[in-house]
Amino acid sequence: MKLSVAIDGPAGAGKSTIAKIIGEKFNLMYINTGAMYRAVTLKAMDANITEKDVDKLINLIESLEMHFVEDRLFVNNEDLTDMINMPTISNNVSKYAAVAEIREILVKLQQNIAKKFNVIMDGRDIGTVVLTDATFKFYLTASNDKRAKRRYDELISKGLDVDYNTILNDIIKRDYIDTHREINPLTKADDAIEIDSSSMSINTVVESIATYINSNTKNN
Ligand code: DC
């Protein structure tokens, strides 16, 4: 049976951590779609292409071969995972992710992967656009403070010198752009199950998603 799981939600809600674990549990290929938007942002910034220069952006994306090895993103065979998670990329990615032409190309790519494999995808528009027929859809949220604290801890653990309030403000700004853009804004799909992870551990969230998938798969 073909199985696909969509996980959407705002920045720092824990989507990628949870998606990776659920993917392993259910033998699903994990596709971190945010990483794909981040990779385009990194490559565009490296080439001094702004979000307004759409023709150059299209040419750029067409020159990029992206694939995942577990949860790491390789672009033209280079592992860009660490670079794309740097704060400069986080602060610029929403501008590039709002470009319709970029979204069109990446959404097609994501849909093609899901045609071939059983996947778990996380992002902003998976349940609403990319995999409207996903077997399971979840919408993961958490309070602004919790999300900022998680990002802060993550960056500190990587040895970066970051300020909590700056991260909180950046997250709020990014959410605003992601939820207010014209094309495919972040929104909960009507048929997605919402989970507020503010006061839940990773394990508790994983357990509740896994229990839901197991009980609904057996009943089908
Ligand atoms: O999940 P993330 O923080 O790595 O995502 C980075 C950015 O990419 C996020 O600010 C919005 C954008 N994005 C998107 O627009 N659509 C997706 N499916 C995934 C991410």
Side-chain angles (χ1 to χ4, degrees):
M1 191 190 94
K2 198 109 181 73
L3 178 66
S4 55
V5 180
I7 302 198
D8 288 303
K15 299 183 300 293
S16 56
T17 309
I18 306 285
K20 190 180 160 200
I21 303 173
I22 295 287
E24 281 162 9
K25 261 186 190 293
F26 290 91
N27 204 17
L28 305 169
M29 182 187 280
Y30 169 44
I31 306 293
N32 176 344
T33 63
M36 299 167 88
Y37 289 94
R38 285 171 180 270
V40 170
T41 302
L42 172 72
K43 290 290 185 184
M45 288 174 73
D46 277 356
N48 284 321
I49 304 174
T50 74
E51 74 280 6
K52 299 199 172 65
D53 206 340
V54 174
D55 288 342
K56 283 194 182 156
L57 284 172
I58 294 172
N59 282 337
L60 173 78
I61 300 186
E62 280 168 357
S63 73
L64 306 177
E65 184 279 325
M66 299 192 199
H67 68 268
F68 287 89
V69 176
E70 294 177 352
D71 59 341
R72 304 196 68 86
L73 177 61
F74 287 74
V75 179
N76 296 344
N77 287 324
E78 185 187 357
D79 182 350
L80 295 187
T81 315
D82 294 332
M83 268 188 278
I84 60 178
N85 284 306
M86 290 293 147
T88 34
I89 303 301
S90 304
N91 294 339
N92 285 282
V93 61
S94 284
K95 283 186 299 195
Y96 290 93
V99 178
E101 290 80 359
I102 293 181
R103 303 203 68 82
E104 206 177 305
I105 298 172
L106 292 188
V107 166
K108 268 203 197 111
L109 202 62
Q110 292 152 12
Q111 288 173 330
N112 284 336
I113 299 172
K115 270 186 205 148
K116 291 190 206 133
F117 304 98
N118 286 336
V119 293
I120 180 161
M121 270 189 201
D122 76 340
R124 304 294 188 287
D125 59 346
I126 310 304
T128 52
V129 177
V130 181
L131 303 177
T132 48
D133 291 332
T135 327
F136 297 103
K137 296 183 187 179
F138 298 95
Y139 189 82
L140 202 57
T141 61
S143 67
N144 291 347
D145 278 350
K146 276 281 153 97
R147 294 187 292 121
K149 179 75 172 50
R150 286 175 191 160
R151 265 293 138 88
Y152 174 81
D153 290 344
E154 186 187 322
L155 293 169
I156 290 286
S157 76
K158 286 182 183 159
L160 293 173
D161 180 20
V162 285
D163 169 62
Y164 170 80
N165 283 315
T166 309
I167 292 183
L168 176 63
N169 289 330
D170 289 345
I171 278 193
I172 293 171
K173 213 188 307 166
R174 192 139 68 93
D175 285 349
Y176 184 86
I177 304 178
D178 292 342
T179 50
H180 287 79
R181 67 173 176 235
E182 234 170 90
I183 323 283
N184 308 348
L186 167 64
T187 171
K188 178 185 154 320
D190 291 338
D191 51 350
I193 293 157
E194 184 161 349
I195 299 173
D196 182 340
S197 71
S198 301
S199 48
M200 290 166 88
S201 68
I202 291 169
N203 274 350
T204 316
V205 178
V206 166
E207 275 315 305
S208 67
I209 291 180
T211 305
Y212 186 87
I213 294 177
N214 275 328
S215 53
N216 285 281
T217 307
K218 278 179 196 135
N219 289 342
N220 283 340

